[in-house]
Amino acid sequence: MNNPLIKLEMLRRFRSPAAAWGIPIVMLLPGLAVLAVYATSTAFAQMTAGAALMNWGGGVDSLQRVGQGMFAWVIGLLGLTMLMLVPSMVGTSIAGERHAQTLQPLQLTAITPGQIVIGKLVSSLAYLLLLLVCTTPIMAIPFLLGGVPVSWLIGSLIVLFLIMLELAAVSLAVSATFSSPAVASIVSVVSCGVLTIAPFVGTTVLGAVMAMSDSDFDLADSPIRYLMGLSPTSLATWVVSLEEDAPKELTSIGARWVPVLCFAAVTVGSLLWARRKVTAPVDKDR
Amino acid sequence: MSTETVATELPTPAIAMRNVSKLYGSNAALRDVTLDVADGSVCGLIGPNGAGKSTMMAIIATLLRQSTGSVEVFGEPISSPRSIRKLIGYVPDVLGTYSGLTVEEYLLFFADAYRVDVEKRTGMVEGLLELVDLSGKKDADLNSLSRGMKQRIGLARALVHDPKLLILDEPASGLDPRARIELRDIVAHLNSLGVTILISSHILVELEEMCTDFLVLEQGALVGAESLAQTEIRTVIVTFLDGNPQSYQVRSLEEQADLVASLVGSGRRVVSVNAESTRLEDRFMQLSTGKTN
């Protein structure tokens, strides 16, 4: 379906001088992680094995462990960067239109409210995807060191993209709700942060409370653990659960599908909310 | 012998509002407004700040939902906004523009957004830029334009889908004298093409030059709806040879000539005839009490 807003948004986003700044921002933390892991591994190897074991502590296994550790840090910090970047960027998209008084003329065209939301989402994701591609050289370093299967790399990138999609949908919903871009941006960052971290905190606290009242309580067997599925990062269980020696608690149907259901519910719900908020006529002009 | 009754249908008004109110909590932005705007007219919407002009325009443009009452545009209820929007071009009081776009890209985007045929778009954009006298700015960055130029671009944007009704909310605000004259000429040209125009402004002298009808809003209520021809009542002061000046009211120069002829014909000895028009400003002052919300 023809959506002229996607073309317009891409044109504006990629022409913006700010677009280029996304590349160093997104490469900063993962790049530092590679340097830090390299430096600590080298120092550790020198300390423990001496000059004879200078080649990363003496063997392929050690080198692979460094690669795996480096990969985990790179993906983790890339996720953290996206957690900050996605809501701050997408959070202003519709609120910015409303603030600049460009939303009303748009609402009067043949572009539907759904197309407005999808246009904003697709153009934002296209830019974020480009930033992900820009991190390929950094991703390649742990991959080349070894110990990182291709399935991890591809799986992690897919999960990272899905996390970005969910955070972008939540940010769009927030952006469509507020008229001030600054407020929308701050609320988006807070909302995405809470959505990502709160399920783990909540599960831990609930687990601790239950353990205090029941000495036989085991969080791994309790349905409380599914609360973690609310966090988009729990989609990463898919990458780990595909391994042959994956822990049982990660390979259960619940562990795999609860995060997917939560992801779908939050994403679709957020997009529908955003669509409702950009539908005219409205009861109160903002 | 059979007889046929031929029903004479009244022309469908461009805008028909019936008992429309808009409430924000306990505050009424519009109070029980009932009006018709004739198809093919240029209707001025006058009122102090906060009178409800922008609210009324936003309701007609299908951007804002009325609390009570009904609105029809060319006979279609605005409750089905998608079909109404094809008929309406709306220029808000503040024109927001996108950064990083040229004038041509901006207009082509809206042509695409209004689903204008691909083959027609380029020629149509050129025609609109010519109409608003900005052909030379086709490749200029939108944000580099002056307020007056942006206002004209806003007008061109509102015309990309060839609307039958144009709603202009304070289009002359911030324009320099030359741009105002050009705006007046554009409005006259569009009206000559059959476009009905609803225009709000604080500058009554300009409205008087552009409009055929006017509506006066005050505190959300319609206090006057008249044709400008009705307001063209001329006060004629006739001085007689015996020294007693008398005033008469006429609606046209023909009536004035008839008056003088009848006075002379009746044997009165006329020394001088001075005529003064009752302008829109005077009529507005008569209708308005100056109260604001």
Side-chain angles (χ1 to χ4, degrees), chain A:
Chain A
M1 193 167 24
N2 175 32
N3 186 347
L5 193 59
I6 295 177
K7 202 168 84 179
L8 178 89
E9 287 293 309
M10 301 269 247
L11 201 64
R12 289 180 59 212
R13 193 175 294 282
F14 287 102
R15 270 186 192 171
S16 159
W21 282 103
I23 298 169
I25 287 171
V26 84
M27 290 179 82
L28 180 70
L29 286 180
L32 287 175
V34 168
L35 284 175
V37 173
Y38 174 82
T40 50
S41 300
T42 310
F44 185 72
Q46 284 173 334
M47 271 168 37
T48 56
L53 301 173
M54 268 299 287
N55 189 16
W56 295 98
V60 175
D61 286 351
S62 301
L63 198 61
Q64 287 184 344
R65 276 200 297 277
V66 172
Q68 287 172 356
M70 198 181 273
F71 181 73
W73 274 103
V74 166
I75 288 291
L77 288 174
L78 198 54
L80 185 68
T81 306
M82 289 300 179
L83 179 63
M84 303 300 289
L85 193 66
V86 174
S88 55
M89 193 182 87
V90 183
T92 57
S93 57
I94 295 174
E97 290 258 6
R98 194 171 270 131
H99 184 73
Q101 313 237 18
T102 51
L103 186 62
Q104 287 191 337
L106 210 55
Q107 288 170 320
L108 292 178
T109 66
I111 299 176
T112 62
Q115 285 178 317
I116 293 176
V117 173
I118 294 298
K120 295 283 178 190
L121 183 73
V122 170
S123 61
S124 302
L125 286 177
Y127 174 68
L128 291 167
L129 208 58
L130 183 80
L131 293 185
L132 259 191
V133 170
C134 290
T135 63
T136 311
I138 292 175
M139 294 262 207
I141 297 171
F143 183 69
L144 292 173
L145 282 175
V148 180
V150 181
S151 62
W152 280 23
L153 186 66
I154 295 172
S156 300
L157 286 175
I158 291 172
V159 166
L160 211 51
F161 178 74
L162 293 176
I163 292 171
M164 278 165 23
L165 172 63
E166 184 174 339
L167 297 181
V170 170
S171 305
L172 268 180
V174 173
S175 188
T177 308
F178 294 92
S179 49
S180 159
V183 172
S185 181
I186 292 165
V187 176
S188 295
V189 172
V190 172
S191 305
C192 289
V194 168
L195 181 69
T196 307
I197 296 160
F200 294 108
V201 176
T203 307
T204 308
V205 171
L206 272 176
V209 170
M210 294 297 285
M212 279 194 289
S213 58
D214 180 4
S215 56
D216 293 333
F217 176 79
D218 185 3
L219 185 63
D221 295 329
S222 167
I224 291 172
R225 72 183 191 279
Y226 293 132
L227 191 64
M228 287 189 286
L230 273 171
S231 172
T233 54
S234 62
L235 287 167
T237 52
W238 273 89
V239 181
V240 185
S241 70
L242 293 175
E243 292 300 302
E244 282 177 11
D245 55 346
K248 272 184 182 175
E249 55 267 28
L250 293 181
T251 55
S252 69
I253 292 174
R256 280 182 173 175
W257 289 103
V258 169
V260 174
L261 289 175
C262 290
F263 161 79
V266 173
T267 306
V268 173
S270 300
L271 293 177
L272 288 175
W273 173 265
R275 178 182 170 275
R276 188 173 155 235
K277 286 289 173 183
V278 297
T279 302
V282 293
D283 286 319
K284 193 174 179 186
D285 196 11
R286 284 174 288 177

Side-chain angles (χ1 to χ4, degrees), chain B residues 104-125:
Chain B
E104 187 183 32
E105 285 168 343
Y106 178 72
L107 293 177
L108 281 174
F109 162 69
F110 275 97
D112 195 2
Y114 275 109
R115 312 290 185 227
V116 174
D117 288 344
V118 180
E119 316 83 69
K120 289 183 185 169
R121 283 179 202 164
T122 310
M124 184 266 306
V125 166

